[in-house]
Amino acid sequence: MNEKQATSHIMLVDGMALLFRAFYATSITGHFQINSKGIPTNAVSGFLKHMLTAVSSFNPSHLAVCWDMGSKTFRSELYTEYKGNRGEAPIELIPQFDLVKEVVASFDIPNIGLVGYEADDCIGTVAKALKDDMKVSILTGDQDILQLLEENISVVLLKKGFGNYQVHTPDSFYEEKGITPRQMIDLKGLMGDPSDNYPGVKGIGEKTALKLLQQFESIDGILENLNDLSKSHRTKIEQSLDMLHLSRTLAEIKCDVPVSCSISDSELRYNRNKVINMLDEVELKGIHRYLADEKEYA
């Protein structure tokens, strides 16, 4: 690794994870921060606080934000019930989807997203593309992204409040789960994911799934050794083979999506006055103090 690689660090932000977290943290009390134009700004404000606090804490040299681009994706085409347990977005959040991208753009930070894919897929694609050239960290509240962990890719999980994080590496993940990050895909294939509304193998929970993966390494390994399983586990898996394979496909983050992020475009050097003008226009109060000093940015 050359000197540039040693010092360059891109943080990929899971935009939706931060935006939803920020919205629900304040909307529960009815505090939507509606500006003079009648537009709620509570989610955008909280998003910026999360993002800028992380920038201050981890000091990345580069930054990009990835977004979902609508609810219809290749996963919902494969399984119509995918995320079918989620209701419509709250009416106060809807106008903030476009607004937050406009505010991010004022920092000259790339907004990345592609119709038909989720933010996770864009994050995975960009992370894998840049990992040989620079350190990559992913800022999110979503543990699904832990499957992307590898030597030069870490995951920064948001904890309660602002500035509280759990940083995961492949080693810390293995210590916690007893499996590798890539095995997490098969783990979710077996146990399913209630939050994304797919079942995996009915009757197989996390404890059993972990035990099977530690013994047989993968779903393929389990299927090759079905006769070594207990009758109960074998029967459950045999009765759910189609859903097992489908759940695994739904769980896997695609890392070959046609999106890109250039190193030069993602360099974190924003025009402070331009950002302040945007904050003032949107009437986002209390964000100025999170901005870097004049001496750090133009």
Side-chain angles (χ1 to χ4, degrees), residues 274-290:
K274 178 181 175 183
V275 170
I276 289 175
N277 288 338
M278 171 59 83
L279 297 178
D280 290 345
E281 179 184 336
V282 181
E283 300 170 32
L284 284 169
K285 299 177 175 62
I287 303 298
H288 296 59
R289 61 191 176 92
Y290 288 88

PDB file of all heavy atoms in Angstrom, residues 274-290:
ATOM      1  N   LYS A 274     -21.283  28.239   0.604  1.00  0.00           N
ATOM      2  CA  LYS A 274     -22.323  27.599  -0.210  1.00  0.00           C
ATOM      3  C   LYS A 274     -23.235  26.732   0.662  1.00  0.00           C
ATOM      4  O   LYS A 274     -24.467  26.754   0.529  1.00  0.00           O
ATOM      5  CB  LYS A 274     -21.668  26.750  -1.301  1.00  0.00           C
ATOM      6  CG  LYS A 274     -22.626  25.990  -2.196  1.00  0.00           C
ATOM      7  CD  LYS A 274     -21.816  25.177  -3.216  1.00  0.00           C
ATOM      8  CE  LYS A 274     -22.713  24.286  -4.061  1.00  0.00           C
ATOM      9  NZ  LYS A 274     -21.920  23.455  -4.998  1.00  0.00           N
ATOM     10  N   VAL A 275     -22.616  25.993   1.582  1.00  0.00           N
ATOM     11  CA  VAL A 275     -23.389  25.132   2.478  1.00  0.00           C
ATOM     12  C   VAL A 275     -24.251  25.979   3.405  1.00  0.00           C
ATOM     13  O   VAL A 275     -25.442  25.696   3.604  1.00  0.00           O
ATOM     14  CB  VAL A 275     -22.457  24.217   3.288  1.00  0.00           C
ATOM     15  CG1 VAL A 275     -23.223  23.502   4.396  1.00  0.00           C
ATOM     16  CG2 VAL A 275     -21.777  23.203   2.375  1.00  0.00           C
ATOM     17  N   ILE A 276     -23.671  27.036   3.980  1.00  0.00           N
ATOM     18  CA  ILE A 276     -24.427  27.893   4.899  1.00  0.00           C
ATOM     19  C   ILE A 276     -25.613  28.541   4.193  1.00  0.00           C
ATOM     20  O   ILE A 276     -26.709  28.656   4.755  1.00  0.00           O
ATOM     21  CB  ILE A 276     -23.499  28.956   5.530  1.00  0.00           C
ATOM     22  CG1 ILE A 276     -22.556  28.267   6.534  1.00  0.00           C
ATOM     23  CG2 ILE A 276     -24.306  30.051   6.212  1.00  0.00           C
ATOM     24  CD1 ILE A 276     -21.510  29.182   7.123  1.00  0.00           C
ATOM     25  N   ASN A 277     -25.409  28.951   2.941  1.00  0.00           N
ATOM     26  CA  ASN A 277     -26.518  29.530   2.173  1.00  0.00           C
ATOM     27  C   ASN A 277     -27.659  28.528   2.021  1.00  0.00           C
ATOM     28  O   ASN A 277     -28.835  28.888   2.123  1.00  0.00           O
ATOM     29  CB  ASN A 277     -26.035  29.989   0.798  1.00  0.00           C
ATOM     30  CG  ASN A 277     -25.173  31.247   0.876  1.00  0.00           C
ATOM     31  OD1 ASN A 277     -25.255  31.992   1.852  1.00  0.00           O
ATOM     32  ND2 ASN A 277     -24.349  31.476  -0.144  1.00  0.00           N
ATOM     33  N   MET A 278     -27.312  27.266   1.767  1.00  0.00           N
ATOM     34  CA  MET A 278     -28.338  26.225   1.639  1.00  0.00           C
ATOM     35  C   MET A 278     -29.047  25.994   2.976  1.00  0.00           C
ATOM     36  O   MET A 278     -30.274  25.898   3.038  1.00  0.00           O
ATOM     37  CB  MET A 278     -27.711  24.921   1.145  1.00  0.00           C
ATOM     38  CG  MET A 278     -28.648  23.713   1.171  1.00  0.00           C
ATOM     39  SD  MET A 278     -30.137  23.912   0.167  1.00  0.00           S
ATOM     40  CE  MET A 278     -29.516  23.471  -1.454  1.00  0.00           C
ATOM     41  N   LEU A 279     -28.266  25.921   4.055  1.00  0.00           N
ATOM     42  CA  LEU A 279     -28.859  25.714   5.380  1.00  0.00           C
ATOM     43  C   LEU A 279     -29.816  26.854   5.733  1.00  0.00           C
ATOM     44  O   LEU A 279     -30.893  26.631   6.293  1.00  0.00           O
ATOM     45  CB  LEU A 279     -27.767  25.597   6.438  1.00  0.00           C
ATOM     46  CG  LEU A 279     -26.800  24.404   6.318  1.00  0.00           C
ATOM     47  CD1 LEU A 279     -25.753  24.468   7.420  1.00  0.00           C
ATOM     48  CD2 LEU A 279     -27.556  23.081   6.375  1.00  0.00           C
ATOM     49  N   ASP A 280     -29.410  28.088   5.388  1.00  0.00           N
ATOM     50  CA  ASP A 280     -30.257  29.246   5.680  1.00  0.00           C
ATOM     51  C   ASP A 280     -31.529  29.227   4.821  1.00  0.00           C
ATOM     52  O   ASP A 280     -32.616  29.555   5.294  1.00  0.00           O
ATOM     53  CB  ASP A 280     -29.488  30.546   5.427  1.00  0.00           C
ATOM     54  CG  ASP A 280     -28.387  30.771   6.458  1.00  0.00           C
ATOM     55  OD1 ASP A 280     -28.411  30.090   7.506  1.00  0.00           O
ATOM     56  OD2 ASP A 280     -27.505  31.610   6.207  1.00  0.00           O
ATOM     57  N   GLU A 281     -31.380  28.808   3.561  1.00  0.00           N
ATOM     58  CA  GLU A 281     -32.532  28.766   2.649  1.00  0.00           C
ATOM     59  C   GLU A 281     -33.572  27.751   3.131  1.00  0.00           C
ATOM     60  O   GLU A 281     -34.775  27.997   3.079  1.00  0.00           O
ATOM     61  CB  GLU A 281     -32.058  28.392   1.240  1.00  0.00           C
ATOM     62  CG  GLU A 281     -33.179  28.296   0.217  1.00  0.00           C
ATOM     63  CD  GLU A 281     -32.683  27.832  -1.140  1.00  0.00           C
ATOM     64  OE1 GLU A 281     -31.484  28.005  -1.434  1.00  0.00           O
ATOM     65  OE2 GLU A 281     -33.493  27.277  -1.901  1.00  0.00           O
ATOM     66  N   VAL A 282     -33.080  26.604   3.611  1.00  0.00           N
ATOM     67  CA  VAL A 282     -33.982  25.548   4.085  1.00  0.00           C
ATOM     68  C   VAL A 282     -34.436  25.806   5.521  1.00  0.00           C
ATOM     69  O   VAL A 282     -35.364  25.180   6.011  1.00  0.00           O
ATOM     70  CB  VAL A 282     -33.280  24.173   3.968  1.00  0.00           C
ATOM     71  CG1 VAL A 282     -34.185  23.042   4.423  1.00  0.00           C
ATOM     72  CG2 VAL A 282     -32.849  23.921   2.528  1.00  0.00           C
ATOM     73  N   GLU A 283     -33.754  26.753   6.184  1.00  0.00           N
ATOM     74  CA  GLU A 283     -34.036  27.116   7.586  1.00  0.00           C
ATOM     75  C   GLU A 283     -33.673  25.972   8.536  1.00  0.00           C
ATOM     76  O   GLU A 283     -34.428  25.637   9.448  1.00  0.00           O
ATOM     77  CB  GLU A 283     -35.508  27.534   7.753  1.00  0.00           C
ATOM     78  CG  GLU A 283     -35.900  28.726   6.896  1.00  0.00           C
ATOM     79  CD  GLU A 283     -37.394  28.989   6.873  1.00  0.00           C
ATOM     80  OE1 GLU A 283     -38.070  28.726   7.894  1.00  0.00           O
ATOM     81  OE2 GLU A 283     -37.900  29.457   5.834  1.00  0.00           O
ATOM     82  N   LEU A 284     -32.507  25.397   8.279  1.00  0.00           N
ATOM     83  CA  LEU A 284     -31.984  24.352   9.155  1.00  0.00           C
ATOM     84  C   LEU A 284     -31.129  25.007  10.226  1.00  0.00           C
ATOM     85  O   LEU A 284     -30.001  25.428   9.973  1.00  0.00           O
ATOM     86  CB  LEU A 284     -31.160  23.336   8.354  1.00  0.00           C
ATOM     87  CG  LEU A 284     -31.970  22.350   7.516  1.00  0.00           C
ATOM     88  CD1 LEU A 284     -31.062  21.585   6.575  1.00  0.00           C
ATOM     89  CD2 LEU A 284     -32.734  21.377   8.414  1.00  0.00           C
ATOM     90  N   LYS A 285     -31.683  25.098  11.399  1.00  0.00           N
ATOM     91  CA  LYS A 285     -30.974  25.773  12.492  1.00  0.00           C
ATOM     92  C   LYS A 285     -30.160  24.763  13.301  1.00  0.00           C
ATOM     93  O   LYS A 285     -30.513  23.595  13.396  1.00  0.00           O
ATOM     94  CB  LYS A 285     -31.980  26.489  13.404  1.00  0.00           C
ATOM     95  CG  LYS A 285     -32.800  27.565  12.697  1.00  0.00           C
ATOM     96  CD  LYS A 285     -33.815  28.188  13.626  1.00  0.00           C
ATOM     97  CE  LYS A 285     -34.551  29.338  12.961  1.00  0.00           C
ATOM     98  NZ  LYS A 285     -35.316  28.907  11.792  1.00  0.00           N
ATOM     99  N   GLY A 286     -29.067  25.220  13.868  1.00  0.00           N
ATOM    100  CA  GLY A 286     -28.265  24.376  14.747  1.00  0.00           C
ATOM    101  C   GLY A 286     -27.270  23.482  14.033  1.00  0.00           C
ATOM    102  O   GLY A 286     -26.570  22.694  14.675  1.00  0.00           O
ATOM    103  N   ILE A 287     -27.201  23.583  12.695  1.00  0.00           N
ATOM    104  CA  ILE A 287     -26.273  22.732  11.943  1.00  0.00           C
ATOM    105  C   ILE A 287     -24.924  23.424  11.749  1.00  0.00           C
ATOM    106  O   ILE A 287     -23.891  22.767  11.627  1.00  0.00           O
ATOM    107  CB  ILE A 287     -26.863  22.355  10.563  1.00  0.00           C
ATOM    108  CG1 ILE A 287     -28.218  21.668  10.731  1.00  0.00           C
ATOM    109  CG2 ILE A 287     -25.914  21.437   9.797  1.00  0.00           C
ATOM    110  CD1 ILE A 287     -28.171  20.364  11.506  1.00  0.00           C
ATOM    111  N   HIS A 288     -24.917  24.751  11.742  1.00  0.00           N
ATOM    112  CA  HIS A 288     -23.689  25.497  11.468  1.00  0.00           C
ATOM    113  C   HIS A 288     -22.531  25.055  12.365  1.00  0.00           C
ATOM    114  O   HIS A 288     -21.388  24.961  11.916  1.00  0.00           O
ATOM    115  CB  HIS A 288     -23.914  27.009  11.666  1.00  0.00           C
ATOM    116  CG  HIS A 288     -24.891  27.604  10.718  1.00  0.00           C
ATOM    117  ND1 HIS A 288     -26.205  27.169  10.616  1.00  0.00           N
ATOM    118  CD2 HIS A 288     -24.759  28.608   9.809  1.00  0.00           C
ATOM    119  CE1 HIS A 288     -26.831  27.888   9.701  1.00  0.00           C
ATOM    120  NE2 HIS A 288     -25.982  28.772   9.191  1.00  0.00           N
ATOM    121  N   ARG A 289     -22.853  24.756  13.622  1.00  0.00           N
ATOM    122  CA  ARG A 289     -21.772  24.415  14.567  1.00  0.00           C
ATOM    123  C   ARG A 289     -21.138  23.060  14.260  1.00  0.00           C
ATOM    124  O   ARG A 289     -20.067  22.743  14.785  1.00  0.00           O
ATOM    125  CB  ARG A 289     -22.297  24.432  16.003  1.00  0.00           C
ATOM    126  CG  ARG A 289     -23.404  23.440  16.301  1.00  0.00           C
ATOM    127  CD  ARG A 289     -24.030  23.712  17.669  1.00  0.00           C
ATOM    128  NE  ARG A 289     -25.159  22.860  17.965  1.00  0.00           N
ATOM    129  CZ  ARG A 289     -25.077  21.706  18.599  1.00  0.00           C
ATOM    130  NH1 ARG A 289     -23.883  21.256  18.999  1.00  0.00           N
ATOM    131  NH2 ARG A 289     -26.152  20.987  18.843  1.00  0.00           N
ATOM    132  N   TYR A 290     -21.786  22.273  13.413  1.00  0.00           N
ATOM    133  CA  TYR A 290     -21.209  20.981  13.036  1.00  0.00           C
ATOM    134  C   TYR A 290     -20.246  21.105  11.853  1.00  0.00           C
ATOM    135  O   TYR A 290     -19.538  20.160  11.521  1.00  0.00           O
ATOM    136  CB  TYR A 290     -22.319  19.989  12.653  1.00  0.00           C
ATOM    137  CG  TYR A 290     -23.135  19.502  13.817  1.00  0.00           C
ATOM    138  CD1 TYR A 290     -24.272  20.203  14.242  1.00  0.00           C
ATOM    139  CD2 TYR A 290     -22.795  18.334  14.509  1.00  0.00           C
ATOM    140  CE1 TYR A 290     -25.040  19.767  15.308  1.00  0.00           C
ATOM    141  CE2 TYR A 290     -23.559  17.895  15.577  1.00  0.00           C
ATOM    142  CZ  TYR A 290     -24.681  18.608  15.973  1.00  0.00           C
ATOM    143  OH  TYR A 290     -25.430  18.169  17.032  1.00  0.00           O
TER     144      TYR A 290
END
